[in-house]
């Protein structure tokens, strides 16, 4: 039995929503099977037989709630001269030493904190056929007990900072150990040492992306041509230099892997909104400045980027441990850079986000142009339909500040993955408009990015003056 509140989303992340978990799990199962069917139906680019013969194993995006679906062509890799391993950028080897040292330190510290590794007890007996346990769990002696409220959260069980960090490091080190044994056999002894000396760590194979992802392409030269045609937004030379360095690095590291690049890009693109909200909260706490409407817009923008991230996770964008390490490290650094920029000059912070969002808009446009036929065959993941169609659209409308109050709300279709990527592309364009408006407003060169109705949410100056006059009149009458 699964709680009515716990809804499993991609990448083993638990999202709470007032929707039946059984319905959501069924939707994810159906989507994963349809993705496999689309992969088998696509001719692909790896041979005349298509992905039906050369596809990597497809694993459902969330192992806790959906079954595993695998390709039946087990020997196709060897017949085509391919190796069934996850492609990793050559620069990944450079980070193995750093990751090993960090994991070893956390693992040894964790062992000293928790004591020696606990041995697994006997397997819990299953319920008899036809016997329904309902919401209860069965003890080893056969009696029933109420389950822990966190029993169904698996790796998403809440805890303090230490437990959360050590659990994440243990999971990542498990995948690093597996990667060392498969992709770097010369370092297998290092993998054996790590598994033997780190507490609660064992080899864990990475989740393979859906096979259809191998059909997707992205021409970087055409992306650059599109950017030249549109023109790069104006900005300080220092900000542009950092942005171009970041863009060039991502293009080289993720060449031939567009979904993985999009996942890293969306992970990084969320961080500026966290930075804006952090500084605005601090300003309010110190009594310097208060604009909750602006914070609410940035919160809606971050939520939009989060759903882009979840969509990329459903396609396996976060399946590689190196990609996750790179994205998280860059995100932490980027967060503090934007905080510093916002403290010194908010226009610089907004200009950096403007460059990132403009690049994302152009890149998604080229990606859609190249892969329209393949994307049209792929059904939309449940997280996309929940956000664009079925769910609460309040925050979806909130971040689109360019739309007037009298305009019809934007309600895009979401019938297939082509619609999903078109929606993401259009979302990025809305971010471009909002970032540009924020930059101009802080510089005194344009109107407020906050819609007129939101600006009057707490009443305007005239309304407050009228109210204060009425209150003073009542006080005068009371004194008389």
């Amino acid at each position: 039995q699964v709680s009515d509140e716990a809804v499993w989303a991609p990448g083993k992340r638990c999202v709470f929503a007032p929707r039946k978990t059984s319905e959501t799990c069924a939707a994810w199962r159906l989507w994963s099977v349809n993705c496999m069917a689309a992969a088998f139906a696509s001719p692909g680019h790896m041979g005349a037989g298509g992905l039906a013969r050369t596809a990597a194993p497809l694993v459902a995006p969330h192992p806790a709630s959906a079954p595993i679906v695998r390709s039946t062509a087990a020997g196709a890799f060897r017949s085509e001269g391919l190796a069934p391993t996850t492609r990793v950028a050559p620069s990944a080897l450079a980070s193995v030493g750093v990751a090993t040292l960090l994991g070893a330190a956390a693992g040894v510290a964790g062992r000293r904190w928790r004591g020696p590794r606990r041995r697994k007890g006997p397997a819990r007996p299953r319920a008899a056929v036809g016997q329904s346990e309902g919401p209860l769990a069965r003890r080893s002696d056969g009696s029933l007990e109420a389950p822990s409220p966190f029993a169904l959260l698996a790796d998403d069980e809440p805890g303090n900072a230490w437990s959360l960090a050590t659990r994440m490091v243990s999971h990542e080190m498990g995948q690093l150990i597996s990667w060392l044994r498969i992709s770097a056999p010369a370092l297998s002894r290092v993998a054996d040492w790590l598994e033997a000396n780190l507490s609660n760590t064992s080899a864990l194979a990475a989740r393979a992306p859906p096979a259809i992802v191998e059909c997707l392409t992205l021409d970087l030269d055409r992306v650059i041509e599109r950017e030249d045609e549109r023109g790069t937004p104006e900005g300080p030379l220092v900000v542009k230099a950092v942005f171009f360095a970041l863009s060039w690095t991502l293009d080289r590291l993720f060449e031939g892997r567009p979904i993985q690049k999009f996942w890293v890009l969306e992970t990084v693109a969320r961080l500026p909104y966290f930075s804006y909200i952090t500084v605005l909260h601090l300003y309010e706490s110190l009594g310097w400045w208060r604009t909750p409407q602006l914070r609410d817009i940035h919160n809606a923008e971050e939520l939009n980027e989060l759903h882009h991230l979840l969509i990329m996770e459903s396609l396996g964008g976060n399946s590689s441990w190196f990609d996750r390490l790179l994205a998280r490290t860059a995100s932490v650094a980027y967060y503090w850079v934007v905080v510093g920029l916002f403290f010194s000059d908010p226009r610089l912070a907004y200009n950096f986000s403007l460059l990132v969002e403009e690049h994302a808009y152009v890149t998604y446009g080229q990606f859609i142009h190249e892969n329209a036929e393949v994307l049209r065959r792929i059904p939309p993941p449940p997280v996309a339909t929940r956000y664009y169609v079925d769910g609460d659209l309040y925050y979806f409308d909130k971040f689109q500040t360019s739309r007037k109050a009298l305009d019809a709300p934007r309600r895009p279709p979401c019938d297939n993955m082509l619609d999903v990527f078109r929606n993401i592309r259009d979302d990025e364009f809305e971010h471009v408009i909002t970032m540009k408006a924020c930059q101009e407003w802080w510089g005194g060169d344009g109107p407020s990015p906050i819609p007129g109705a939101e600006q009057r949410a707490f009443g305007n100056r005239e309304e407050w003056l009228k109210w204060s006059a009425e209150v003073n009149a009542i006080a005068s009458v009371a004194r008389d």
Side-chain angles (χ1 to χ4, degrees):
Q1 299 292 325
V2 183
S3 168
D4 289 344
E5 297 295 324
V7 178
W8 291 100
K12 300 178 71 177
R13 297 292 184 267
C14 189
V15 180
F16 291 93
R19 186 176 292 275
K20 297 291 185 180
T21 302
S22 57
E23 299 174 3
T24 305
C25 293
W28 277 108
R29 293 189 187 101
L30 178 61
W31 178 78
S32 62
V33 173
N34 288 340
C35 274
M36 195 62 181
F40 273 73
S42 300
H45 62 277
M46 292 187 287
L51 291 178
R53 298 174 59 243
T54 60
L58 167 64
V59 181
H62 46 327
S65 64
I68 295 177
V69 182
R70 297 183 183 274
S71 170
T72 57
F77 290 102
R78 298 176 181 83
S79 64
E80 296 288 340
L82 300 174
T85 58
T86 303
R87 290 181 295 171
V88 181
S91 57
L93 288 172
S95 65
V96 170
V98 177
T100 301
L101 292 176
L102 292 176
V108 172
R111 170 170 289 184
R112 291 188 176 183
W113 180 269
R114 293 188 298 269
R117 184 183 299 182
R118 292 174 292 183
R119 297 184 179 275
K120 295 182 179 180
R124 188 178 66 181
R126 298 192 178 192
V129 177
Q131 179 182 0
S132 174
E133 296 185 2
L136 301 180
R138 187 175 291 278
R139 297 191 182 95
S140 58
D141 59 0
S143 60
L144 297 178
E145 64 174 350
S148 166
F150 302 138
L152 298 173
L153 296 182
D155 287 345
D156 285 315
E157 180 178 337
N160 57 30
W162 177 258
S163 64
L164 295 177
T166 53
R167 183 176 66 197
M168 185 274 291
V169 171
S170 177
H171 177 269
E172 296 298 333
M173 291 304 297
Q175 291 209 358
L176 174 60
I177 291 170
S178 178
W179 181 86
L180 288 173
R181 288 175 175 167
I182 295 175
S183 301
L187 300 177
S188 59
R189 291 188 177 181
V190 177
D192 295 338
W193 183 88
L194 290 173
E195 188 171 17
N197 289 275
L198 299 184
S199 60
N200 299 326
T201 299
S202 58
L204 179 64
R207 175 174 60 91
I212 193 69
V213 171
E214 295 294 332
C215 292
L216 304 175
T217 62
L218 179 62
D219 189 339
L220 298 179
D221 294 332
R222 286 293 301 144
V223 173
I224 296 175
E225 291 177 8
R226 282 174 174 253
E227 288 181 327
D228 292 339
E229 292 173 0
R230 283 182 55 84
T232 305
E234 297 181 358
L237 182 60
V238 176
V239 174
K240 281 192 172 184
V242 176
F243 164 74
F244 285 131
L246 174 64
S247 178
W248 184 89
T249 303
L250 291 179
D251 289 343
R252 298 304 174 270
L253 287 177
F254 296 94
E255 188 171 2
R257 299 192 299 150
I259 297 300
Q260 289 80 357
K261 176 185 176 180
F262 291 153
W263 181 80
V264 174
L265 191 62
E266 295 294 349
T267 301
V268 174
R270 295 177 63 201
L271 268 297
Y273 305 116
F274 288 142
S275 302
Y276 304 153
I277 295 172
T278 298
V279 178
L280 292 175
H281 265 299
L282 178 62
Y283 287 172
E284 288 194 27
S285 300
L286 297 176
W288 292 359
W289 194 59
R290 179 170 57 196
T291 306
Q293 302 98 319
L294 186 59
R295 282 193 292 103
D296 207 23
I297 291 175
H298 291 326
N299 186 53
E301 290 181 294
E302 184 279 321
L303 190 64
N304 177 259
E305 299 287 9
L306 169 63
H307 283 82
H308 296 176
L309 183 72
L310 295 176
I311 292 170
M312 300 310 159
E313 287 186 3
S314 69
L315 294 173
N318 65 331
S319 59
S320 170
W321 68 270
F322 174 74
D323 295 344
R324 294 193 297 271
L325 175 64
L326 175 65
R328 290 164 182 167
T329 304
S331 296
V332 173
Y334 187 34
Y335 169 83
W336 288 109
V337 168
V338 177
V339 167
L341 290 175
F342 203 95
F343 268 122
S344 60
D345 188 347
R347 293 175 298 176
L348 299 178
Y350 285 124
N351 183 255
F352 203 116
S353 295
L354 174 61
L355 293 172
V356 172
E357 301 294 357
E358 173 71 18
H359 177 70
Y361 170 72
V362 174
T363 304
Y364 280 122
Q366 177 61 28
F367 178 77
I368 293 170
H369 177 75
E370 292 183 30
N371 303 279
E373 293 304 321
V374 177
L375 295 174
R376 189 176 284 110
R377 296 193 183 105
I378 306 175
V383 66
T385 57
R386 296 289 185 269
Y387 182 68
Y388 289 110
V389 180
D390 299 336
D392 186 353
L393 301 178
Y394 171 78
Y395 274 113
F396 177 69
D397 295 332
K398 174 71 71 175
F399 85 94
Q400 303 176 62
T401 58
S402 64
R403 297 183 176 271
K404 307 300 181 183
L406 299 180
D407 293 344
R410 176 179 160 224
R411 294 294 178 263
C414 194
D415 298 328
N416 49 53
M417 193 61 78
L418 178 59
D419 289 339
V420 172
F421 273 94
R422 283 173 174 168
N423 296 342
I424 294 175
R425 177 201 60 193
D426 296 342
D427 291 347
E428 301 297 349
F429 186 69
E430 293 289 342
H431 290 304
V432 169
I433 296 175
T434 302
M435 291 298 97
K436 185 177 180 180
C438 289
Q439 177 184 336
E440 293 176 349
W441 179 56
W442 280 90
D445 300 326
S448 171
I450 304 173
E454 294 293 331
Q455 294 183 35
R456 297 187 295 272
F458 301 108
N460 56 33
R461 184 68 175 172
E462 294 179 359
E463 292 173 341
W464 278 103
L465 292 175
K466 180 180 178 181
W467 175 82
S468 61
E470 294 177 355
V471 173
N472 291 333
I474 296 174
S476 299
V477 173
R479 284 196 298 269
D480 295 340

